[in-house]
Amino acid sequence: EKTRVKSALAIENYGLQNDAHAGPGKRQLSMLTADNLKGLQKKGINVKPGDMGENILIDKLDIAPIKLNGRVIFGNDIICRVTQFGKECHSRCSIWEKLSECSMSERGIFMKVLKGGMLKTGDPVEFADD
């Protein structure tokens, strides 16, 4: 689980400063849409931002244009490369036990930080193909 913050430092080829999942791998940042959480809440699961382990929760943004190896640009300076959609769950969390599903394994978007900077709540988000 993650704790919601208003800003965090994204570090090139690492992820977010002080994040347990940060490191040189291909899943340095994780992102979900607010609709994923709302869907779980409609099923009666008490879930809040960060409970799925996501670093970034986006709302009111069509993610359909996001492509594998495409870029996601946050604010004016943070550039990430999409490295993976979904992931294999190695252990069954309490959400999986209740629903037999996991938003991160099914709908998580994972990225590598190409250019770091200060990530802030409310930053604009853009998608670009390479």
Side-chain angles (χ1 to χ4, degrees):
E1 295 177 8
K2 309 277 181 171
T3 302
R4 193 172 197 173
V5 296
K6 293 185 186 281
S7 64
L9 180 62
I11 302 169
E12 183 176 326
N13 198 31
Y14 183 75
L16 293 184
Q17 185 177 41
N18 301 320
D19 181 50
H21 296 110
K26 66 179 189 174
R27 294 191 334 218
Q28 297 170 359
L29 288 180
S30 59
M31 181 170 67
L32 275 177
T33 67
D35 287 341
N36 292 146
L37 292 187
K38 290 173 189 172
L40 291 172
Q41 292 165 345
K42 286 180 183 177
K43 293 179 180 183
I45 302 301
N46 182 17
V47 63
K48 62 187 182 313
D51 284 353
M52 306 276 34
E54 77 279 1
N55 297 115
I56 300 166
L57 187 68
I58 58 174
D59 194 15
K60 299 177 182 148
L61 187 64
D62 179 15
I63 63 167
I66 298 176
K67 306 277 189 265
L68 188 62
N69 294 316
R71 289 178 293 136
V72 180
I73 300 126
F74 298 97
N76 295 319
D77 55 357
I78 300 170
I79 302 172
C80 298
R81 169 123 13 248
V82 176
T83 57
Q84 188 174 335
F85 292 104
K87 69 177 186 80
E88 180 182 346
C89 281
H90 298 289
S91 63
R92 301 295 188 218
C93 66
S94 61
I95 302 243
W96 179 272
E97 293 299 325
K98 288 183 178 181
L99 294 176
S100 296
E101 68 179 86
C102 170
S103 286
M104 288 309 289
S105 67
E106 296 170 7
R107 293 175 287 282
I109 299 167
F110 296 90
M111 299 168 281
K112 181 175 183 171
V113 180
L114 301 179
K115 182 177 177 234
M118 190 58 68
L119 181 65
K120 297 176 287 305
T121 299
D123 274 350
V125 181
E126 295 179 35
F127 310 125
D129 290 335
D130 276 350

